[in-house]
Amino acid sequence: MYTLLEAQNLVEKHIQNISIPDTPTELYEPVKYVLSIGGKRIRPALVILACDLFAGSVDSALVPAVAIEVFHNFTLLHDDIMDRSEVRRGQPTVHVKYGENVAILSGDVMSILASRLINHSPGVVLNVVHEVFTKTAMQVCEGQQMDMNFEDLLTVSEEEYMTMIQLKTAVLIAASLKIGAILGGGSQTDANDLYDFGLNLGMAFQLQDDLLDTFGDQQTIGKMLGTDIVDNKKTFLMIKALEKGSPQQRKNLTDWLAKRDFKREEKVAEVTGIFKQLKIKEITNQRIKVFYKKSLESLAKLNRPEERKVELSNFASFLINRNK
Amino acid sequence: MYTLLEAQNLVEKHIQNISIPDTPTELYEPVKYVLSIGGKRIRPALVILACDLFAGSVDSALVPAVAIEVFHNFTLLHDDIMDRSEVRRGQPTVHVKYGENVAILSGDVMSILASRLINHSPGVVLNVVHEVFTKTAMQVCEGQQMDMNFEDLLTVSEEEYMTMIQLKTAVLIAASLKIGAILGGGSQTDANDLYDFGLNLGMAFQLQDDLLDTFGDQQTIGKMLGTDIVDNKKTFLMIKALEKGSPQQRKNLTDWLAKRDFKREEKVAEVTGIFKQLKIKEITNQRIKVFYKKSLESLAKLNRPEERKVELSNFASFLINRNK
């Protein structure tokens, strides 16, 4: 049985070995660059763990697992263009390093490469795996569109926010597990239970991300706190604060959202202060626990020996307890 | 047996009927827009004709045929961003109408949708169709990258140019025919012969495009002549002129390529004048005929009754004789 770390290492090795054409250099060098600068390889590792859960041949899951990682990195690449982000994983983003046109096109070819790698799934499940993959991939685009729409909205409801993070983040984690289950020979019910496990975990994961951006330890997470606040991101924290705040607190928040000229530290301190007054951290932590609990319920329903599920429950606990 | 026109109409009807999600509106409205403003539906019609050639069930080829058209339109959408084109088929391009971020993301979702529609190929050939499709799709990106690279090069060899148009244009026409053949139940040899037919035809098609841009009839093609000349495109015409010209003619051409300030009409007239002195039109026409002849040889090799091939040979003749 694979541990999460073993699965991550296996995937990492395989990513470095996939055959990516050399020419045109301008097109494929950025693809290699993006795949070389790391990331935790969580999603492909989940494909492996889910496959292994059914004692399926992990070998047959390796290429589809890499496909998911390639797809995930494609979304980051294009999101970075749309969000004008200049740094990713401590390195310059592709459009900064190679120019915007190259970034668009390299992303395009990565998306197609991902689909091509999915085609390495065994014939008997290819159709199902491919449908889960492409359906999910479209949903991720929908989530990114919603996220962009939020930038122009003054208020976003909690429900809209939850739909957005479900599409942008949670469905790909869920689909990774489902695809792993299908490749491992799990039943449809098993695959769906794992999907639900991943979906709720993905929600918890994103809320934890929102939380760390404001309340994390700067040393540990290795970047400035409060980026979301500075960027006026409609995170769960901000949405809850706008919902729970007194008229005065809400006015202060909307004033900060509207302000064009400000000192970064001052804005972060003031908004974080209001969050603290409203116990937003505690509210968010509580919500994370609800999703975590739901995810464990789906895992419990899964018809596999408990000792086989240990890695996945460890992973869930790691995700919501992480501090970076 | 389907005629080209019948195949085009069938495809058109089906394109308007494919189910595209409604929300987020910002994401999917541009997709519907792009698919609604037409085009000749040549590629999907070729899928249908190739399938029909083997008396295969055209019904089973319809969705994959639409997939190819969706993919083709995705490439146009993203190419227009990269090329900063403002008009396509007489309508504003997506990035002009909806903004660049939306254009990137709508293109992304179209590419995935295309792959999802390919998954509707019958299970027994799914793997093969999917591999042809994704391999080809990657090649199209490679062609676009080469085309972008040419912008920054002073000279492009004929060989480089031929590779570029093969990747950017010809392989998708070839793959449309090959996929149709596979869906129709043709043998591998048949499918490859049709691929070669399409590849050579695609080359002829692109050279004809280059020719019409300079030597077409302005009334008939419905746009200004000489766009390629104004944009310093390294077309076959320009490459041949730079190769065949006297030192003085070459100097004149490179001067025009370097000039930043010029009157459009003057540049077009002068460069076209040099092309005429060098008989570039005749040279290009001759090259078109070579590709046309090669394409017909592949069609002749194809092990099908001659009367079944008529639509494809008509199509080939139409393509190289078209005046718009």
Side-chain angles (χ1 to χ4, degrees), chain B residues 64 67-68 113-121 126 129-130 133 179:
Chain B
I68 302 240
L113 174 62
S115 180
R116 193 172 182 188
L117 294 171
I118 284 289
N119 198 35
H120 287 248
S121 308
L126 173 58
V129 170
H130 195 259
F133 172 70
I179 286 174

Side-chain angles (χ1 to χ4, degrees), chain A residues 26 28 78 82 100-101 105 108 112 115-116 119 127 130-131 134-135 138 141-142 145 149, chain B residues 26 28 74 78 82 100-101 105 108 112 115-116 119 127 130-131 134-135 138 141-142 145 149:
Chain A
E26 296 79 2
Y28 288 115
H78 273 195
M82 296 180 237
E100 190 167 319
N101 279 357
L105 199 58
D108 288 347
I112 299 163
S115 180
R116 193 172 182 187
N119 198 35
N127 182 278
H130 195 259
E131 171 61 16
T134 48
K135 180 182 175 176
M138 287 178 70
C141 293
E142 293 167 14
Q145 182 65 54
N149 291 349
Chain B
E26 296 78 2
Y28 289 115
F74 143 69
H78 273 196
M82 296 180 237
E100 190 167 318
N101 279 357
L105 200 58
D108 288 347
I112 300 162
S115 180
R116 193 172 182 188
N119 198 35
N127 182 278
H130 195 259
E131 172 61 14
T134 49
K135 181 182 174 178
M138 288 178 70
C141 293
E142 293 167 13
Q145 183 65 55
N149 291 350

Side-chain angles (χ1 to χ4, degrees), chain B residues 239-267:
Chain B
I239 291 166
K240 271 290 141 187
L242 284 168
E243 184 194 314
K244 300 250 170 208
S246 66
Q248 184 58 48
Q249 285 166 322
R250 284 154 68 174
K251 187 181 174 308
N252 288 349
L253 286 174
T254 47
D255 284 352
W256 277 114
L257 287 170
K259 217 172 262 182
R260 300 246 151 227
D261 266 339
F262 54 82
K263 285 201 185 122
R264 189 197 149 97
E265 305 75 41
E266 196 186 342
K267 181 173 178 179

